[in-house]
Amino acid sequence: MTTHPAASPAASPSASGSASGAPSSLFASDLDRTLIYSAAALGLTVPDAAAPRLLCVEVYESKPLSYLTETAAELLATLAARTVFVPTTTRTREQYGRIHLPGPTPRYAVCANGGHLLVDGESDPDWHARVRERLTECAPLDEVRAHMLRTASGAEESGWVLKERVAEDLFAYLVVDRARLPDTYVKELGDWAAPRGWTVSLQGRKIYAVPRPLTKSAAIAEVARRTGATRTYAAGDSLLDADLLLAADEGWRPGHGELADEGWHAPHITALPERGVAAGERILREVGAAVG
């Protein structure tokens, strides 16, 4: 992976690596609102009769939850056969396990924002131990969580905090009502967290507090090392994807999401105009063309 300057806001190769003649390129992609979309996030703007056919790739509580277009499904299956495709998500392992993408099952996947590196569906214990060691440089999760709950005290009564969650005992987040969220809360929490080694970001309806060393890019660099991939492509829409995009050789972001809202850019990142599920399809076309 290539190291690039910061963007402005507005073990030996495995059997899947280049040593065995397998693809030498790697495609690391965020999932939610990058490749797959809930019904609310589809962003369909054409008449119903002209809407694309959709493939459901996730069911939750016996109900369909996430989709991509059938064309995107075909593109992803083709691309996954030509590259090392690595789903790269902030989801927990359990949440990731609900997703069934088209094409061959990826050998590698990144969950919990880099906290878990899955190899053939199982968390790599050595990688997780290395992550845990790096997190000792930061304030403990319990301290950060307690501060979040204390500063949001009374929020449930006022209606802006809907849920509070801890993910994989690695980071914490609040599910909020954006319309009622106090304007200063995210900034104040971020100012408190920064000197303690944590980052804060607002992604859709969730306020995340994540340890600074917990990154998608570090996990993807490890996958590239193991597979012998010499070129990395990446896609993502949220602030938690910024480090992944910066570390890639080439990347794409859709026309929606926090990165688009902030006008985030970097020289090697293409900002696509498409929004919603159409953006996922466009990303796969672009990566396929880049792989060549």
Side-chain angles (χ1 to χ4, degrees):
M1 299 173 77
T2 302
T3 301
H4 296 273
S8 59
S12 60
S14 70
S16 62
S18 58
S20 62
S24 61
S25 60
L26 184 155
F27 173 43
S29 182
D30 175 52
L31 294 177
D32 296 280
R33 300 187 73 207
T34 298
L35 289 189
I36 66 175
Y37 294 80
S38 68
L42 287 173
L44 298 174
T45 58
V46 297
D48 291 347
R53 285 165 58 97
L54 300 172
L55 175 67
C56 178
V57 293
E58 180 184 14
V59 172
Y60 179 56
E61 295 182 344
S62 302
K63 298 177 181 179
L65 183 61
S66 298
Y67 307 84
L68 42 63
T69 68
E70 286 192 349
T71 298
E74 294 172 0
L75 292 168
L76 179 57
T78 300
L79 187 61
R82 298 164 58 202
T83 66
V84 179
F85 168 54
V86 188
T88 308
T89 180
T90 305
R91 284 179 176 232
T92 64
R93 288 169 291 170
E94 179 182 3
Q95 292 168 336
Y96 170 70
R98 300 196 302 254
I99 299 173
H100 300 284
L101 296 169
T105 301
R107 182 176 186 196
Y108 296 96
V110 174
C111 294
N113 212 63
H116 286 281
L117 174 58
L118 305 190
V119 183
D120 296 326
E122 299 295 330
S123 180
D124 184 294
D126 291 336
W127 173 257
H128 188 61
R130 287 160 58 185
V131 170
R132 287 290 186 186
E133 178 63 27
R134 289 199 296 269
L135 297 190
T136 60
E137 305 166 5
C138 308
L141 171 62
D142 287 346
E143 178 184 341
V144 175
R145 184 186 180 196
H147 181 82
M148 291 177 71
L149 294 175
R150 184 169 59 252
T151 54
S153 178
E156 293 182 356
E157 290 77 5
S158 63
W160 66 268
V161 171
L162 307 179
K163 299 175 185 177
E164 183 267 338
R165 294 287 186 269
V166 170
E168 301 272 19
D169 199 30
L170 290 168
F171 60 90
Y173 63 92
L174 301 174
V175 182
V176 302
D177 182 337
R178 288 285 295 264
R180 299 183 180 184
L181 175 66
D183 293 339
T184 61
Y185 181 79
V186 174
K187 182 181 185 307
E188 290 172 353
L189 180 61
D191 290 344
W192 177 88
R196 293 166 174 81
W198 287 65
T199 63
V200 173
S201 60
L202 176 61
Q203 323 261 354
R205 299 189 308 129
K206 297 177 181 178
I207 300 173
Y208 287 95
V210 179
R212 192 173 292 118
L214 190 64
T215 64
K216 294 180 177 181
S217 61
I220 289 300
E222 176 65 11
V223 177
R225 184 188 71 82
R226 295 186 187 193
T227 60
T230 56
R231 187 166 182 83
T232 296
Y233 303 95
D237 72 294
S238 77
L239 295 171
L240 289 174
D241 296 318
D243 72 283
L244 174 67
L245 292 169
L246 286 173
D249 295 291
E250 189 173 357
W252 294 263
R253 68 164 174 82
H256 61 258
E258 289 74 27
L259 294 179
D261 291 344
E262 292 202 3
W264 185 95
H265 64 277
H268 63 296
I269 303 302
T270 300
L272 299 173
E274 287 85 357
R275 300 171 61 88
V277 72
E281 187 174 311
R282 174 71 183 276
I283 286 168
L284 291 169
R285 290 188 189 279
E286 295 276 328
V287 178
V291 170

